[in-house]
């Protein structure tokens, strides 16, 4: 396997674009068609989005539930198996980034805007409208945090870890292009460089763009809500599209800087701003309640882990999971090419055991603390203020975090700070996503012309704006579910292919070790023979 582009012929570098046409053009054409159709049939697209989401969720939700559990258990198997000592990039590879920078980029790319959007809204929704039992009770609060932990816990990070590990292994250890198609070499052989490989990469591009557009749509709604809350600016789709254009322009500046400068620095800024806001909420909010419930929430999550992970509403037959669990699993899957590619690019030099345990547990534990601080505090205030937060959230879900912060000291300052954080996360997600999509559509190249990266940054903003225009929150959810479902099958095949690749790598390393031991043993014998001959010769000379 050699480090060639996805095509069979070497392409020349161009000044403005350096693309792999079989992936770039189908992806661009399909996106342009989607944009034109959604704008042309704006009035009927909302109904179409709803119908598609309902059909997929009702009939295939169980499949997504099984799939995400397979991804998680496979990652744990790799971490604690004989494959755990395999190092990404080979035995002599060293990490490119420090652990602190690595963790910051992991968290920023993996959760980003979404956790700011849902960390208050989701627990409050589950508390006031529980899927089981009575609302606004202690049991409803416990259940709300348990379900929220499920959606933001180990499962999404396992999905990211699977894609990130697979990409990094085949790129750094097998010297293949950094593209989704490369992962399937053990199953498809040289066919990954043909039409089948092109199809896989096109699916990855579409899943990434629609998954990312979902997050960007949430983000722009939240920025708009914050500006409306603080400064009375209008809250409507037209202002959100203007904001989308402004923030996409800002993201483009970071795209120009590249991974080592723009994305890395923004990720570290996000981490610092996020920690500051988290510390503020813990210190200014119900601190003791937060720490106690953090411990209790983790215990409940671990205790009920298998029960909630495999829960599929088989006996209740309601459609509650369609808007929550099924949406989340599809959203994380559709995000996985983007986050996985990003994680792969920053993870050279890590052993598979270190990779899995770091990607799974560090971000998840930090996410749990964030959810408890923000969501738990919201429930705390909800029970003491006669439902003031829930009323606002149900009126406009994007305003949730601002409703919480206004209950704390210096609430206005904290809200302004939150708007800046949403903006920063938005920019990071956009520029990271455009770098990743650009890698897919250039045949796995790590560097490409700036204009090409700018093209995809703009396309991400346009797709998010069109989804908002064509159906709002429902359209965003449908986009994730529609692209996440087919890509979940790709990920199941990825499990099989990665296992085959790791088995071959392990056998190769073991053979090298045995050959090295054999050579050392032979050298030892040669040294002993030479020493014996020298002793004999010395004895003869003395006589």
């Amino acid at each position: 396997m050699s480090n060639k582009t996805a095509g069979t012929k070497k392409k020349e570098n161009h000044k403005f674009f350096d693309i792999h046409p079989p992936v770039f053009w189908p992806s661009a054409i399909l996106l342009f068609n989607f944009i034109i159709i959604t704008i042309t049939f704006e009035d009927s697209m909302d109904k179409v989005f709803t119908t598609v989401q309902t059909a997929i969720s009702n009939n295939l939700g169980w499949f997504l539930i099984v799939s995400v559990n397979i991804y998680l258990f496979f990652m744990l198997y790799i971490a604690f198996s004989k494959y755990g000592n395999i190092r990404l990039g080979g035995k002599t590879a060293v990490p490119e980034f420090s652990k602190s920078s690595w963790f910051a980029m992991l968290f920023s790319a993996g959760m980003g805007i979404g956790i700011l959007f849902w960390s208050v809204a989701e627990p409050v929704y589950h508390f006031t409208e529980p899927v089981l039992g009575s609302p606004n009770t202690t049991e409803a609060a416990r259940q709300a945090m348990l379900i929220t932990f499920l959606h933001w816990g180990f499962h999404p990070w396992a999905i990211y870890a699977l894609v990130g590990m697979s990409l990094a292994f085949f790129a750094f250890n097998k010297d293949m292009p950094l593209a989704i198609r490369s992962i399937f070499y053990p199953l498809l052989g040289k066919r990954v460089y043909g039409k089948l490989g092109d199809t896989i990469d096109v699916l990855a591009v579409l899943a990434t763009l629609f998954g990312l557009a979902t997050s960007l749509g949430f983000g722009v709604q939240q920025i708009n809500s914050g500006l409306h809350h603080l400064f009375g600016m209008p809250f409507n789709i037209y202002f959100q599209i203007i904001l989308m254009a402004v923030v996409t322009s800002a993201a483009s500046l970071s795209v120009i800087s590249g991974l080592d400068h723009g994305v890395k620095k923004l990720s570290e800024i996000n981490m610092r701003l996020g920690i500051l806001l988290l510390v503020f909420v813990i210190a200014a909010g119900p601190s003791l309640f937060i720490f106690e419930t953090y411990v209790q929430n983790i215990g409940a999550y671990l205790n009920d882990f298998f029960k909630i992970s495999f829960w599929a509403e088989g006996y209740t037959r309601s459609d509650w999971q369609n808007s929550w669990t099924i949406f989340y699993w599809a959203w994380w899957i559709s995000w996985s090419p983007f986050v996985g590619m990003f994680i792969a690019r920053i993870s050279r030099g890590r052993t598979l055991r270190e990779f899995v345990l770091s990607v799974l547990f560090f971000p998840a534990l930090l996410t749990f603390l964030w959810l408890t601080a923000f969501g738990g505090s919201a429930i705390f205030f909800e029970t003491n203020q006669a439902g003031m937060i829930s009323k606002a959230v149900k009126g406009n879900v994007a305003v949730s975090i601002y409703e919480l912060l206004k209950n704390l000291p210096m609430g206005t300052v904290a809200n302004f700070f939150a708007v800046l954080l949403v903006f920063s996360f938005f920019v990071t997600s956009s520029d990271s996503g455009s770098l990743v999509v650009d890698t897919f559509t250039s045949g796995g190249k790590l560097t490409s012309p700036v204009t090409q990266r700018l093209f995809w940054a703009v396309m991400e903003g346009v797709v998010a704006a069109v989804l908002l225009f064509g159906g709002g929150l429902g359209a965003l959810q449908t986009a994730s579910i529609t692209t996440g479902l087919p890509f979940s099958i790709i990920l199941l095949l990825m499990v099989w292919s990665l296992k085959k690749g790791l088995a071959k790598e392990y056998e190769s390393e073991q053979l090298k070790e045995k050959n090295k031991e054999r050579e050392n043993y032979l050298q030892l014998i040669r040294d002993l023979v030479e020493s014996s001959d020298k002793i004999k010769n010395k004895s003869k000379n003395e006589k």
Side-chain angles (χ1 to χ4, degrees):
M1 289 179 280
S2 59
N3 189 15
K4 52 188 174 180
T5 60
T8 55
K9 295 182 180 180
K10 185 177 179 181
K11 294 177 277 297
E12 298 179 357
N13 288 326
H14 301 284
K15 184 176 180 181
F16 298 110
F17 283 86
D18 185 12
I19 63 173
H20 180 52
V23 176
F24 180 92
W25 288 114
S27 302
I29 290 169
L30 286 170
L31 286 170
F32 278 125
N33 285 337
F34 169 79
I35 291 167
I36 292 169
I37 291 171
T38 302
I39 292 175
T40 304
F41 301 100
E42 175 200 350
D43 294 336
S44 58
M45 287 307 292
D46 188 19
K47 185 177 180 180
V48 171
F49 288 143
T50 302
T51 302
V52 170
Q53 180 184 353
T54 302
I56 292 175
S57 300
N58 284 344
N59 296 300
L60 292 167
W62 64 270
F63 177 77
L64 286 172
I65 291 170
V66 171
S67 297
V68 295
N69 281 291
I70 290 174
Y71 310 147
L72 174 59
F73 296 132
F74 178 68
M75 283 293 96
L76 291 173
Y77 161 72
I78 294 299
F80 296 105
S81 72
K82 60 187 179 182
Y83 306 122
N85 291 324
I86 295 175
R87 188 175 296 275
L88 295 173
K91 285 194 171 183
T92 60
V94 294
E96 184 179 357
F97 301 99
S98 67
K99 276 205 170 182
S100 59
S101 294
W102 187 47
F103 286 152
M105 287 190 279
L106 285 177
F107 186 76
S108 294
M111 291 300 158
I113 299 169
I115 198 170
L116 291 168
F117 192 90
W118 290 109
S119 59
V120 174
E122 183 175 356
V124 169
Y125 260 106
H126 298 329
F127 177 63
T128 56
E129 296 182 7
V131 63
L132 300 171
S134 302
N136 305 308
T137 62
T138 301
E139 178 56 28
R142 190 196 71 82
Q143 185 186 119
M145 296 309 301
L146 175 63
I147 292 173
T148 305
F149 272 32
L150 169 68
H151 295 156
W152 294 85
F154 298 146
H155 290 91
W157 289 104
I159 296 168
Y160 300 156
L162 170 62
V163 180
M165 179 190 293
S166 302
L167 284 166
F169 174 74
F170 284 98
F172 302 146
N173 294 67
K174 299 300 182 182
D175 200 27
M176 296 188 71
L178 195 60
I180 296 293
R181 70 173 70 209
S182 298
I183 300 169
F184 297 94
Y185 191 91
L187 298 180
L188 302 177
K190 292 184 178 180
R191 285 179 293 174
V192 297
Y193 301 116
K195 291 183 179 179
L196 197 54
D198 294 332
T199 302
I200 291 171
D201 279 349
V202 169
L203 280 174
V205 170
L206 296 178
T208 300
L209 281 167
F210 282 109
L212 193 58
T214 301
S215 294
L216 298 183
F218 289 155
V220 80
Q221 287 183 334
Q222 198 164 32
I223 292 173
N224 191 184
S225 293
L227 295 175
H228 176 73
H229 190 78
L230 290 171
F231 306 113
M233 292 185 179
F235 183 86
N236 56 54
I237 183 61
Y238 303 105
F239 192 69
Q240 288 166 17
I241 291 174
I242 293 172
L243 285 174
M244 186 75 72
V246 171
V247 181
T248 300
S249 300
S252 299
L253 297 176
S254 181
V255 165
I256 294 171
S257 300
L259 176 65
D260 291 333
H261 299 288
V263 178
K264 178 185 174 184
K265 289 181 179 177
L266 273 173
S267 296
E268 291 175 348
I269 290 171
N270 289 345
M271 195 67 173
R272 293 188 183 104
L273 291 177
I275 288 174
L276 283 174
L277 187 60
L278 175 62
V279 170
F280 169 76
V281 171
I282 292 174
S287 306
L288 182 60
F289 177 80
I290 290 171
F291 288 124
E292 288 178 341
T293 53
Y294 177 59
V295 174
Q296 188 171 331
N297 291 339
I298 291 177
Y301 174 66
L302 296 175
N303 185 63
D304 293 341
F305 181 80
F306 287 97
K307 177 181 177 181
I308 60 173
S309 294
F310 288 92
W311 178 51
E313 289 188 306
Y315 294 103
T316 56
R317 307 304 303 168
S318 71
D319 59 356
W320 178 90
Q321 280 192 318
N322 293 1
S323 299
W324 291 105
T325 307
I326 304 306
F327 159 66
Y328 271 117
W329 293 163
W331 186 21
W332 301 138
I333 290 169
S334 65
W335 254 60
S336 64
F338 153 52
V339 181
M341 171 71 79
F342 188 71
I343 292 174
R345 290 185 67 170
I346 64 176
S347 298
R348 181 194 287 269
R350 311 287 177 182
T351 66
L352 298 191
R353 182 171 296 111
E354 177 189 13
F355 178 92
V356 171
L357 297 182
S358 297
V359 173
L360 269 185
F361 295 112
F362 169 77
L365 291 174
L366 185 56
T367 301
F368 291 160
L369 181 58
W370 183 286
L371 292 171
T372 302
F374 286 79
S377 295
I379 290 175
F380 178 87
F381 289 121
E382 177 73 10
T383 57
N384 289 282
Q385 293 183 359
M388 293 302 295
I389 292 181
S390 63
K391 289 177 183 177
V393 168
K394 289 177 182 178
N396 176 14
V397 66
V399 81
S400 58
I401 193 170
Y402 308 116
E403 286 296 321
L404 167 66
L405 294 176
K406 81 175 188 180
N407 287 279
L408 303 178
M410 299 187 296
T412 302
V413 175
N415 272 326
F416 181 75
F417 192 79
V419 172
L420 291 179
L421 186 59
V422 174
F423 180 89
S424 181
F425 267 121
F426 189 117
V427 173
T428 306
S429 296
S430 180
D431 61 13
S432 302
S434 56
L435 286 170
V436 167
V437 172
D438 179 57
T439 301
F440 289 146
T441 56
S442 65
K445 297 183 182 72
L446 295 180
T447 57
S448 58
V450 171
T451 48
Q452 191 168 309
R453 300 200 301 271
L454 289 175
F455 171 80
W456 289 115
V458 172
M459 283 297 291
E460 290 161 9
V462 171
V463 171
V466 168
L467 286 170
L468 284 172
F469 193 70
L473 183 61
L476 295 173
Q477 292 178 323
T478 303
S480 288
I481 291 174
T482 305
T483 54
L485 177 65
F487 210 75
S488 66
I489 300 172
I490 297 290
L491 295 192
L492 289 174
L493 293 173
M494 190 179 293
V495 168
W496 182 18
S497 189
L498 177 61
K499 175 63 170 60
K500 291 189 70 173
L502 291 177
K504 190 172 182 180
E505 178 80 357
Y506 181 78
E507 289 173 7
S508 176
E509 287 191 357
Q510 290 296 104
L511 183 61
K512 288 178 183 178
E513 285 291 329
K514 288 179 180 179
N515 289 337
K516 187 177 179 181
E517 289 176 5
R518 183 172 178 272
E519 183 60 36
N520 290 338
Y521 178 70
L522 292 174
Q523 184 63 44
L524 178 61
I525 293 175
R526 285 193 290 267
D527 291 341
L528 290 172
V529 170
E530 288 178 6
S531 297
S532 177
D533 290 341
K534 287 179 181 179
I535 292 171
K536 289 178 180 179
N537 291 332
K538 187 177 180 181
S539 294
K540 288 180 181 179
N541 291 334
E542 288 177 353
K543 289 179 180 179

